[in-house]
Amino acid sequence: MSIKPVVSGSFMQTRRQLLLLPLALLASRVVAEPAALPAGMCPLNSGGPSLLGTSWRLTTIYGNAVPPEVAITMTVGDITLMGSAGCNEYIAYFKRVGHSGFMMERVQRGSNGCTVIRTEDGGPTVNVGDWEGNFIRTLQRAGSVEQKEDGLHFYNRSGEPSVIFVKSDAAPEATGVTEEPTPFEAEQPTES
């Protein structure tokens, strides 16, 4: 004959809550917003020097060199990347994710038609619209960035290298980019 101890319902409920307490505390740490950045820092790359206000020129997309005739530029703002996508101005809005990542919320660009440039008489042509489209699609998938000696390296959300920019001496005003985002003729849908 076995004797079973009598356990009250309130004791079992308290025991369950105490057992779940460490799990709840851990979950709150994982879900909590990242710590605020110091003044003057850009949330684009919280792990390194601030990129706020810096200007860049695109050199490669997934290892393919951007032709010198195609000027794709970027200036880093508090929550935006903006510049020329080749033939249209763009504004990419991002938000911080975790302590070193970010996510594009939306990208807007103008709706001007792009040209095909002949590099020299009888030489090959460059379709600026193809480069612009590739850049915008790649930028929408960006998830982290790293500043290295040779430039600014962006990585997609899978951690693969995607685009590389080099430092540009052009001030934001020289590229036609203003601090305040301006409305575009047509908002382009974002891709995920």
Side-chain angles (χ1 to χ4, degrees), residues 59-150:
T59 58
T60 63
I61 299 175
Y62 285 110
N64 298 304
V66 176
E69 297 83 9
V70 179
I72 299 176
T73 62
M74 177 182 71
T75 298
V76 181
D78 278 325
I79 59 167
T80 60
L81 303 174
M82 48 189 165
S84 171
C87 36
N88 289 288
E89 297 293 314
Y90 73 93
I91 297 176
Y93 296 87
F94 64 88
K95 69 177 181 178
R96 185 175 174 202
V97 176
H99 292 284
S100 60
F102 61 92
M103 182 175 85
M104 293 298 165
E105 293 186 305
R106 71 183 187 279
V107 178
Q108 297 174 305
R109 68 174 162 167
S111 59
N112 295 330
C114 296
T115 61
V116 175
I117 300 172
R118 184 164 301 282
T119 56
E120 58 187 51
D121 287 339
T125 59
V126 175
N127 187 327
V128 179
D130 287 348
W131 285 99
E132 178 175 274
N134 289 336
F135 167 66
I136 295 295
R137 281 188 298 280
T138 303
L139 184 62
Q140 289 172 331
R141 296 180 186 109
S144 62
V145 66
E146 181 179 22
Q147 191 169 354
K148 295 184 177 182
E149 283 185 29
D150 65 339

Side-chain angles (χ1 to χ4, degrees), residues 147-192:
Q147 191 169 354
K148 295 184 177 182
E149 283 185 29
D150 65 339
L152 194 59
H153 294 243
F154 280 75
Y155 301 90
N156 64 24
R157 289 179 287 227
S158 300
E160 300 164 333
S162 58
V163 296
I164 299 174
F165 286 86
V166 293
K167 191 84 166 164
S168 172
D169 294 329
E173 297 79 32
T175 62
V177 177
T178 61
E179 276 303 307
E180 291 298 316
T182 57
F184 288 101
E185 293 175 24
E187 183 172 329
Q188 301 294 317
T190 58
E191 294 178 15
S192 294

